[in-house]
Amino acid sequence: MSKLSRISAPQMTVLLLASRLSQCLLLTPQSTAGLHLSDRLLATALSGLFLFLLFCPTLWVLRGSPRGLVDAAYRLSRGTGRALCIWYFLLCLFILCIDIIQFYDFAEKVMTGTFSVVLLTVALVAVAFAASLYGIQALGRTALPVFTFSVVCLAVFGLALLTEMRAVHFPPLANQPFLSIVKAAVSELPRSAELVLIGWLYPYVNGPRFYAVGAFCGLTSLFSAAVITTALGVLGDFAAVTAYPYYAAVSVAQIGVFQRMDMLITAVWLSTFFIRLSLFCTAFVNMASRAFGPRARRWSALLGTGALWGFTLLIRHNRSWGAVTVAYWCVLGVACVGLPLLIWWLKRRKAR
Amino acid sequence: MKRVCCLILAVLLLGGCRPQGETGGQVIVTGVGVESQNGSFRLSVQAIEALRIGGSLSEQNEPATAVYTAEGASVAEALQAFLNETGKRAYILQNQLLAVGLEQCRNTVLSETLDYFMRNREGHSQVQLVVCRGEVAPLLDITVGNDAVPAEYVSKLLIEGERLSQCVTAQLLDVERDLSGTLDAAIPILEVRDHTPQLSGTALFRGGRLLGELTNRETTALLLAAGEGETCLYTHEGITYRLEDIRSRIEVLPLGEGFEYRVGISAVSRTVERAAQSAAPSLAAAATALENEIGTALTRTVRELHADPLGLSRRTAACYRQNGVTQDAARKALPNALISVTVTLTHADNGFMA
């Protein structure tokens, strides 16, 4: 592995966080599993813990080894390695597809202007795939300014909205039974789809990966809590009936003569979303080249772009978020628990 | 990465690729009034015509804005009629004021009247909302000089009024909060006398339905209880005090089957004017008078109007959740609640020794 294709552990945390932020900002009442947003705060804290637990099997299987899951599979047999690459390949395509539909939904419902949403989607996918050809290090470096910009904007929005927040808007915490909060914490997990890439990303990272992932899990909860607190404090119960509460809350923020902060939140969201798309595109292209040879890099990028456009335009009006959530849980279970344990078992059997 | 940056820039600039409306083909809406007219919506649109303005606003020879009227079965249809009549598209991104006729509020639910503006993403959630006593069009056509926009003048009047505890301010967001059951909406009432807008109390809404009106003095009392005003002038027995650093605290206590609400208000008081024949200033007497006034206003709001703009029921549900008290149950019990007000005024010297 060349030096240029590696990133440091803090870079990985920032990359994953920048990608996850796009999901944090896309807070929707539908994703609360019937829970009030105030209880969602508790669920968010709990989901950070669950996230870390989900990562543990991968960490345990890869302990003391510089290789990732794909390398470990290739060492078992070429067929196993290729099968795993194709699994990741399809997985990335699935997640990208859902992300693009989410983007389409957001742009269509919220963004004002007379531009073509389809054209914007097509261009975004093309740019993300083009960026993926530059490798993981380029992406890691790009993520830092994007993440810094996003965090600064979140802080500015929070401060600007302090005057709009009322204590009376917050219902009491733990209003629901604990089981409902656990259920909501579990339903929050699919939003951290970056976790499925840890097994692939592992060998590209220098430094303490364990702490990097721990920081990602903790900070993810923190950012989600900040977004929920802002939306709830400003909107009250209205947060439960508006499509994108954080966006609705930020659109009323103003600092001096600066108004219409919704433009800024759209910019933050687009930039973090670009990082998310590029991360999955990079994994997609990398898996294609490992399964089908280095020449597959470029054609897989073209194929991926075409496939995404096709899928997205075909199913954008026929999606079912319930089915998507179930599919995400299955994918997370297989990628974070099933696959690492299977590879560990195969390794053990081969060693005997 | 340079190429990637260029591509990102191209994506961000894509919005500019499509033809936009011609500047002369649209009017920039600065204020909108909605009222009922023979069962349909009558829309008054205060707008700046881009081609009428040359140079800065201060160089205008005639008012920068004009008021157009249009009618339709809905607000959207009335706007369409406006387009058909004037040949210009209404650009509402710069809208600063939304005025609804008091009669319209009495006859139609607020959510129905304002639905178009709540759904329209171009309309700003922070647009100032007022209820207009009498016809709406005169409010949008007030005389404020050629270099000012009437809607902006009204908007500033309301903001300053709230700072001085003279009136409440309300935005579209407050109606949205009211409709979701968070807090009852309190919207300022304005009326036009001699081409001048004047504060005329507060309209209280629940679920978009008009519950009743508060007078200007009751509005001040409500603002003091909520601790929202920055400063307030209060005259008692010929002495005018300026209250500053106003803070309020609401305690909820169980009282038999219902609840008692203890509103504690503290403020720093400065004597700003004293009539020659008035007695020696007594802060304690002023505080007692203020307590009575606020208590009467709150009791009337809760008992007569059945309104809860302070979110008392929400506070009750938060405090007594373990006892199974919900916001709805607390709201039902509110008219029987006991409200006691305590005002603590601290004297501050303003340097005038006489």
Side-chain angles (χ1 to χ4, degrees), chain A residues 327-351:
Chain A
Y328 255 127
W329 277 332
C330 297
V331 160
L332 272 178
V334 171
C336 299
V337 183
L339 274 178
L341 293 181
L342 180 70
I343 286 172
W344 168 77
W345 181 72
L346 288 174
K347 265 167 71 179
R348 205 174 153 201
R349 207 178 71 163
K350 195 179 177 187

Side-chain angles (χ1 to χ4, degrees), chain B residues 80-147:
Chain B
Q80 181 67 40
F82 169 77
L83 175 73
N84 293 341
E85 282 168 25
T86 61
K88 294 177 195 295
R89 192 176 79 86
Y91 179 69
I92 66 163
L93 195 72
Q94 301 293 329
N95 186 22
Q96 294 182 38
L97 186 72
L98 204 47
V100 185
L102 188 56
E103 279 308 306
Q104 173 76 7
C105 293
R106 286 192 180 123
N107 301 331
T108 316
V109 185
L110 208 53
S111 52
E112 200 178 304
T113 309
L114 300 176
D115 192 63
Y116 174 83
F117 301 98
M118 289 193 281
R119 285 176 193 272
N120 192 327
R121 292 277 170 189
E122 270 188 4
H124 202 312
S125 299
Q126 286 287 65
V127 62
Q128 292 284 352
L129 195 59
V130 295
V131 169
C132 187
R133 204 184 291 280
E135 277 191 45
V136 174
L139 178 66
L140 300 173
D141 207 13
I142 52 172
T143 315
V144 290
N146 294 342
D147 57 344

Side-chain angles (χ1 to χ4, degrees), chain B residues 15-262:
Chain B
C17 293
R18 286 164 70 92
Q20 300 293 306
E22 293 286 327
T23 316
Q26 60 189 12
V27 287
I28 300 163
V29 177
T30 48
V32 177
V34 188
E35 59 195 323
S36 51
Q37 175 89 8
N38 305 326
S40 63
F41 285 91
R42 183 166 185 244
L43 216 62
S44 305
V45 178
Q46 182 196 88
I48 299 175
E49 281 189 63
L51 291 183
R52 256 172 80 177
I53 302 169
S56 67
L57 276 176
S58 56
E59 292 165 3
Q60 296 299 307
N61 294 322
E62 54 185 80
T65 57
V67 176
Y68 303 86
T69 53
E71 277 181 41
S74 62
V75 172
E77 277 197 18
L79 271 174
Q80 181 67 40
F82 169 77
L83 175 73
N84 293 341
E85 282 168 25
T86 61
K88 294 177 195 295
R89 192 176 79 86
Y91 179 69
I92 66 163
L93 195 72
Q94 301 293 329
N95 186 22
Q96 294 182 38
L97 186 72
L98 204 47
V100 185
L102 188 56
E103 279 308 306
Q104 173 76 7
C105 293
R106 286 192 180 123
N107 301 331
T108 316
V109 185
L110 208 53
S111 52
E112 200 178 304
T113 309
L114 300 176
D115 192 63
Y116 174 83
F117 301 98
M118 289 193 281
R119 285 176 193 272
N120 192 327
R121 292 277 170 189
E122 270 188 4
H124 202 312
S125 299
Q126 286 287 65
V127 62
Q128 292 284 352
L129 195 59
V130 295
V131 169
C132 187
R133 204 184 291 280
E135 277 191 45
V136 174
L139 178 66
L140 300 173
D141 207 13
I142 52 172
T143 315
V144 290
N146 294 342
D147 57 344
V149 176
E152 197 172 286
Y153 172 86
V154 173
S155 175
K156 281 181 181 163
L157 171 85
L158 292 170
I159 291 167
E160 189 62 11
E162 189 183 41
R163 197 180 74 76
L164 301 171
S165 305
Q166 298 284 303
C167 69
V168 294
T169 56
Q171 288 90 30
L172 263 182
L173 183 62
D174 291 297
V175 177
E176 288 166 336
R177 283 174 184 151
D178 166 41
L179 295 176
S180 65
T182 310
L183 291 177
D184 291 351
I187 304 176
I189 306 177
L190 291 181
E191 66 177 304
V192 181
R193 284 189 213 142
D194 302 327
H195 299 284
T196 309
Q198 296 194 349
L199 299 170
S200 184
T202 302
L204 297 172
F205 293 84
R206 177 175 298 166
R209 290 189 189 284
L210 180 69
L211 296 173
E213 297 172 37
L214 295 178
T215 61
N216 281 337
R217 281 192 82 91
E218 285 170 333
T219 303
T220 303
L222 191 74
L223 283 166
L224 289 174
E228 285 189 1
E230 201 176 296
T231 174
C232 174
L233 285 181
Y234 179 68
T235 305
H236 177 67
E237 290 180 353
I239 304 166
T240 305
Y241 303 93
R242 188 171 64 229
L243 309 185
E244 294 167 0
D245 195 17
I246 304 160
R247 291 167 199 273
S248 87
R249 183 186 161 82
I250 300 175
E251 272 183 284
V252 187
L253 299 166
L255 182 73
E257 293 289 302
F259 295 94
E260 181 190 353
Y261 297 95
R262 287 187 187 167

Side-chain angles (χ1 to χ4, degrees), chain A residues 114 168-169 175 234 237, chain B residues 18 122 177 180 182 314 321:
Chain A
T114 51
V168 77
H169 289 169
N175 215 7
V234 174
D237 287 349
Chain B
R18 286 164 70 92
E122 270 188 4
R177 283 174 184 151
S180 65
T182 310
R314 204 171 167 86
R321 179 171 52 100

Side-chain angles (χ1 to χ4, degrees), chain A residues 217-333:
Chain A
C217 297
L219 289 172
T220 294
S221 293
L222 191 74
F223 285 125
S224 298
V227 165
I228 293 171
T229 308
T230 310
L232 197 59
V234 174
L235 302 180
D237 287 349
F238 181 58
V241 292
T242 189
Y244 295 103
Y246 188 68
Y247 182 88
V250 168
S251 64
V252 303
Q254 57 183 71
I255 306 166
V257 293
F258 297 104
Q259 295 184 344
R260 299 298 306 216
M261 295 284 184
D262 45 336
M263 305 301 171
L264 199 56
I265 190 72
T266 306
V268 170
W269 189 69
L270 268 179
S271 50
T272 52
F273 187 67
F274 166 72
I275 295 291
R276 183 178 171 91
L277 281 188
S278 303
L279 176 64
F280 283 99
C281 288
T282 306
F284 179 87
V285 168
N286 185 273
M287 286 299 111
S289 68
R290 293 196 75 174
F292 308 108
R295 283 186 185 174
R297 261 171 66 85
R298 283 180 190 277
W299 69 251
S300 66
L302 285 174
L303 183 83
T305 311
L308 265 184
W309 290 345
F311 282 141
T312 308
L313 295 179
L314 274 175
I315 64 170
R316 70 183 192 272
H317 294 306
N318 303 318
R319 80 268 162 177
S320 152
W321 289 124
V324 167
T325 309
V326 172
Y328 255 127
W329 277 332
C330 297
V331 160
L332 272 178

